[in-house]
Amino acid sequence: MATFALVDCNNFYASCERLFRPNLKNQPVVVLSNNDGCVIARSQEAKAVGIAMGAPLFKIRTLVEEHGVAVCSSNYALYGDISERVMTMLGSNAPSHEVYSIDECFLDLDNLGVPDLTAWCSSLRQRTYQWTGIPVSIGIGGTKTLAKLANRLAKKSAKAGGVIDLAHHPEWIDTALRKTPIGDVWGVGRRWSQMLEERGMVTAHDFAHAQDGWIRQKMGVVGLRTAHELRGYICHALEDQPQPKQTTCCSRSFGATITDKSQVHDAVMQFAERAAEKVRSADQVAGAMQIFIRTDPFNANAPQKSLSGSANFPQPTSDARAITGTATRILERIWRAGYAWKKAGILLLDLSAKGSAPPSLFDAIASPDDGLMTAMDQINAKYGRGSVKLGLAGKDRDWSMRRENLSPSFTTKWADLVSVRVG
DNA sequence: TCTGGGGTCCTAGGACCC
DNA sequence: TCTGGGGTCCTAGGACCC
């Protein structure tokens, strides 16, 4: 039998914001999505005053003022950096591990030679806090889904001390399943939990005991795997080798809607450059691309439109010139005037490792590698993103993102280092 | 006035082939 | 006159995750 642990950072983005701003300790803190749109992270205190996950800022203004909630724009450079510290710390303690998301990591606890896993995890939890300043909770189970479920209970339970081990206490599993609402099971989202609740299955326990044939028919093999995992059968192995990405996307909502074609083009060019950069940094090339633009679905009064178009590259590429050029041609092809555009994006598809594709007959002619992209990447790595770019985007940006409450880049920008005056 | 961004996997259905 | 069945590949859309 395998033993999985899931280490999950508590209120991760809110905890990051607090790290360098001790005055926020024990205060309600929320972090907003891009454009300062809606709440994507809340400290415990913010949850306690009734701020919902995903709530748009304009709907919680009153709560914010009443309770003095600290409101932060999201600062992904900071969160990414702190995440790396936490993951490095965890990886050095459990060599076999899988970084599952920016704030979660699965550990393989077998073969660690540890007699008491609960004690070991408690001390890991403590050290993580001491070394990184980030509080975590740990759930242990025989499958990833059970480890997730244990983690959720560890977060909620006051007496658990942040760690719950279902793997070595099989007698707790039944109660744990009964205590878990179906919608809180990993792999059961909004649609499925509604469907299951309508049929009287309201807890993980109900679902785990449903009939395989029925689950397969209603939820496919994906749902069936979740049910099996709840019963203790492993369907999701630990993936300690990160898989190369198959697609990369760069998309944004605009700060305000735009109708002007050249502005939409500007935005698409910037996203295309950024997407190309991402692909290059993973040493990949793209075989195809797609761009899309769409209006604001929340504005019931405006005519709605969603346009997209795609193209294949003659040879897989990561060259920003090829990618922006193709993006321009696609936009030209799909453009329709008369709409208020709110969001645009580009997807690079069919990614493969650079150099893995069989060379084409025309390679030498079609893709001269003149080193320009490499040079640009090096300069941007040294002097900061966007220091050099293709001369494509104009200066008037009506569409730029709103970030009115951005915290300093404490760990990634020299100018934002915290200074401490002594004496 | 103001509602995120970046991914994965699976399935159904159509085109096409023999 | 008879009007099949099995396979692959691709795409769009829907579910999920953080």
Side-chain angles (χ1 to χ4, degrees), chain A residues 366-404:
Chain A
S367 55
D369 183 359
D370 54 13
L372 178 64
M373 291 301 124
T374 313
M376 283 176 62
D377 289 340
Q378 283 168 355
I379 292 170
N380 285 330
K382 190 163 176 185
Y383 296 104
R385 179 176 299 162
S387 297
V388 285
K389 44 192 163 185
L390 303 179
L392 291 165
K395 288 206 182 65
D396 310 318
R397 295 214 180 133
D398 299 343
W399 48 273
S400 293
M401 204 161 63
R402 271 193 313 276
R403 294 210 284 182
E404 286 168 5

Side-chain angles (χ1 to χ4, degrees), chain A residues 254 256-271 291-293 307 325-344 392-394 396-399:
Chain A
F254 307 135
T257 58
I258 48 182
T259 51
D260 185 39
K261 184 176 173 187
S262 70
Q263 295 252 355
V264 174
H265 182 254
D266 269 10
V268 170
M269 290 301 100
Q270 188 186 310
F271 303 161
I291 67 171
F292 68 87
I293 57 178
L307 300 175
T326 305
T328 300
R329 281 193 295 280
I330 299 174
L331 181 63
E332 205 58 49
R333 201 176 74 218
I334 64 173
W335 172 258
R336 297 273 302 273
Y339 293 94
W341 304 107
K342 178 64 176 172
K343 181 174 181 174
L392 291 165
D396 310 318
R397 295 214 180 133
D398 299 343
W399 48 273

Side-chain angles (χ1 to χ4, degrees), chain A residues 19 30 71 87 110 139 148 339 369:
Chain A
L19 261 188
V30 297
V71 175
M87 299 306 166
D110 292 327
K148 271 269 195 186
Y339 293 94
D369 183 359

Side-chain angles (χ1 to χ4, degrees), chain A residues 111-406:
Chain A
N111 310 316
L112 284 178
V114 173
D116 183 348
L117 281 177
T118 304
W120 186 83
C121 285
S122 293
S123 107
L124 177 65
R125 186 171 166 268
Q126 229 159 24
R127 264 175 297 151
T128 307
Y129 185 67
Q130 196 179 340
W131 291 13
T132 67
I134 299 294
V136 302
S137 302
I138 306 182
I140 305 168
T143 65
K144 283 182 167 179
T145 306
L146 285 171
K148 271 269 195 186
L149 192 140
N151 187 289
R152 176 182 165 279
L153 295 174
K155 276 197 165 65
K156 291 181 93 73
S157 158
K159 62 179 180 184
V163 181
I164 283 185
D165 180 0
L166 291 179
H168 299 86
H169 300 277
E171 72 279 9
W172 293 352
I173 293 181
D174 205 69
T175 314
L177 293 177
R178 288 180 199 274
K179 270 205 256 184
T180 306
I182 186 61
D184 286 346
V185 172
W186 188 44
V188 179
R190 233 188 44 243
R191 301 304 276 268
W192 282 354
S193 70
Q194 192 190 339
M195 187 273 291
L196 292 167
E197 280 160 11
E198 280 166 6
R199 286 166 175 76
M201 291 181 223
V202 295
T203 67
H205 185 267
D206 298 333
F207 177 58
H209 289 81
Q211 287 193 344
D212 280 2
W214 183 85
I215 300 174
R216 174 70 179 81
Q217 191 205 334
K218 293 287 180 189
M219 303 163 73
V221 296
V222 179
L224 195 54
R225 278 181 202 141
T226 296
H228 283 191
E229 285 240 320
L230 286 174
R231 298 174 200 160
Y233 302 110
I234 298 172
C235 301
H236 301 294
L238 190 91
E239 290 176 19
D240 45 6
Q241 297 302 323
Q243 296 301 305
K245 277 196 191 117
Q246 300 166 30
T247 64
T248 278
C249 170
C250 181
S251 72
R252 292 282 181 283
S253 296
F254 307 135
T257 58
I258 48 182
T259 51
D260 185 39
K261 184 176 173 187
S262 70
Q263 295 252 355
V264 174
H265 182 254
D266 269 10
V268 170
M269 290 301 100
Q270 188 186 310
F271 303 161
E273 273 208 73
R274 177 70 193 121
E277 210 174 85
K278 282 193 201 176
V279 164
R280 288 198 301 276
S281 78
D283 269 321
Q284 289 182 306
V285 285
M289 66 172 287
Q290 189 185 351
I291 67 171
F292 68 87
I293 57 178
R294 69 161 167 77
T295 51
D296 183 356
F298 293 100
N299 186 349
N301 303 320
Q304 297 293 312
K305 199 75 179 172
S306 180
L307 300 175
S308 74
S310 56
N312 296 317
F313 297 113
Q315 281 88 37
T317 183
S318 60
D319 191 308
R321 290 165 292 184
I323 291 169
T324 52
T326 305
T328 300
R329 281 193 295 280
I330 299 174
L331 181 63
E332 205 58 49
R333 201 176 74 218
I334 64 173
W335 172 258
R336 297 273 302 273
Y339 293 94
W341 304 107
K342 178 64 176 172
K343 181 174 181 174
I346 164 172
L347 291 90
L348 293 180
L349 313 164
D350 200 8
L351 301 183
S352 56
K354 189 180 179 184
S356 73
S360 124
L361 189 57
F362 306 108
D363 256 10
I365 311 161
S367 55
D369 183 359
D370 54 13
L372 178 64
M373 291 301 124
T374 313
M376 283 176 62
D377 289 340
Q378 283 168 355
I379 292 170
N380 285 330
K382 190 163 176 185
Y383 296 104
R385 179 176 299 162
S387 297
V388 285
K389 44 192 163 185
L390 303 179
L392 291 165
K395 288 206 182 65
D396 310 318
R397 295 214 180 133
D398 299 343
W399 48 273
S400 293
M401 204 161 63
R402 271 193 313 276
R403 294 210 284 182
E404 286 168 5
N405 304 284
L406 186 61

Side-chain angles (χ1 to χ4, degrees), chain A residues 34-166:
Chain A
N34 284 344
N35 286 315
D36 292 346
C38 54
V39 173
I40 55 169
R42 307 159 293 162
S43 72
Q44 207 51 51
E45 299 77 11
K47 291 177 189 173
V49 302
I51 294 176
M53 185 67 170
L57 178 60
F58 71 91
K59 283 191 182 167
I60 57 161
R61 282 281 185 208
T62 327
L63 279 175
V64 166
E65 277 157 33
E66 266 173 30
H67 298 95
V69 179
V71 175
C72 307
S73 302
S74 43
N75 184 346
Y76 288 101
L78 175 68
Y79 313 150
D81 195 52
I82 302 301
S83 170
E84 218 175 286
R85 296 182 189 185
V86 173
M87 299 306 166
T88 305
M89 153 82 194
L90 296 174
S92 69
N93 283 272
S96 181
H97 67 283
E98 173 188 346
V99 176
Y100 176 69
S101 74
I102 194 164
D103 69 337
E104 286 169 89
C105 188
F106 285 106
L107 312 180
D108 177 359
L109 298 185
D110 292 327
N111 310 316
L112 284 178
V114 173
D116 183 348
L117 281 177
T118 304
W120 186 83
C121 285
S122 293
S123 107
L124 177 65
R125 186 171 166 268
Q126 229 159 24
R127 264 175 297 151
T128 307
Y129 185 67
Q130 196 179 340
W131 291 13
T132 67
I134 299 294
V136 302
S137 302
I138 306 182
I140 305 168
T143 65
K144 283 182 167 179
T145 306
L146 285 171
K148 271 269 195 186
L149 192 140
N151 187 289
R152 176 182 165 279
L153 295 174
K155 276 197 165 65
K156 291 181 93 73
S157 158
K159 62 179 180 184
V163 181
I164 283 185
D165 180 0
L166 291 179

